[in-house]
Amino acid sequence: MKKVILTAILLSFIMVYANGQTDKRHFSYTAYAGTGISMSQPSRTPFTGQLIAHYHINQRFVIGAGSGLSVYEKLLIPLYASAQFNIIKPRKLTPYLECNIGGSFATSKKANGGFYLSPSVGAQFSISRKLKMNFTLGYELQELERLKKYTDQYFHTEFKEELSHHSITLKIGLTY
């Protein structure tokens, strides 16, 4: 039994070492900057900046984790899981589907982040062997809870306002 386990471990190390000698990259990083068209009230044009670390499972499927900044009326820091599926095998121009899901944190003391969802469709243009440019069109749902004050000469109150921002997003990025 010990010989079987030792042989399995030895074969695993040989496979990992042999796979490491190929030119396949298993990790990549994507930096995005983008804006959008707001579809909710109160209407705010969002700005997003994101950085995603990817692990390539195979040529067509990529998973990862990301974070960044989302600016609506408050600054939010989303933290999410990412999945990307290349519609065709990677070429000079590769279309893909991507979905980011997670939550966000607010930087203001009088606000809380919430649920974050961002499915998109995009195209990846290969600039060089290690550098690719991404263009995406997608949808973004960003929930936010904030404390509002209302004051006039007769009435003073504070209340919790729950907002759900919906927007069509346009992003451009670099994958390296």
Side-chain angles (χ1 to χ4, degrees):
M1 183 68 174
K2 290 181 183 179
K3 287 183 181 182
V4 172
I5 293 173
L6 184 61
T7 305
I9 291 172
L10 183 61
L11 286 175
S12 297
F13 282 126
I14 291 170
M15 287 174 42
V16 168
Y17 180 75
N19 193 28
Q21 299 303 310
T22 64
D23 195 27
K24 295 180 185 177
R25 291 184 340 163
H26 289 287
F27 291 98
S28 66
Y29 303 93
T30 301
Y32 282 115
T35 188
I37 301 167
S38 180
M39 301 185 322
S40 58
Q41 292 296 330
S43 181
R44 300 285 179 156
T45 302
F47 172 77
T48 59
Q50 299 173 332
L51 182 62
I52 305 171
H54 301 283
Y55 176 75
H56 298 257
I57 294 176
N58 57 36
Q59 287 185 344
R60 295 178 99 177
F61 192 63
V62 179
I63 59 172
S67 184
L69 298 173
S70 292
V71 181
Y72 289 95
E73 60 273 328
K74 300 285 183 186
L75 179 64
L76 299 170
I77 300 171
L79 185 61
Y80 52 86
S82 177
Q84 180 179 325
F85 177 73
N86 292 332
I87 297 171
I88 61 173
K89 287 186 179 181
R91 295 193 177 134
K92 187 80 171 164
L93 183 65
T94 307
Y96 63 90
L97 302 172
E98 183 176 38
C99 186
N100 302 328
I101 187 168
S104 65
F105 306 97
T107 58
S108 173
K109 291 182 181 180
K110 295 187 177 187
N112 290 323
F115 182 69
Y116 175 82
L117 175 68
S118 179
S120 59
V121 61
Q124 192 172 63
F125 180 73
S126 181
I127 296 171
S128 69
R129 198 171 123 229
K130 293 185 178 184
L131 186 64
K132 297 174 175 81
M133 183 169 273
N134 301 327
F135 300 97
T136 64
L137 173 66
Y139 167 80
E140 184 173 286
L141 166 65
Q142 177 68 68
E143 293 182 351
L144 170 68
E145 186 178 280
R146 66 181 177 177
L147 190 60
K148 291 281 284 198
K149 290 183 181 181
Y150 178 75
T151 304
D152 65 15
Q153 69 187 80
Y154 303 110
F155 191 65
H156 303 286
T157 187
E158 285 187 352
F159 59 94
K160 179 175 71 171
E161 181 180 35
E162 295 180 356
L163 300 172
S164 185
H165 293 287
H166 303 270
S167 58
I168 302 294
T169 59
L170 303 166
K171 293 187 279 188
I172 186 168
L174 289 174
T175 298
Y176 49 96

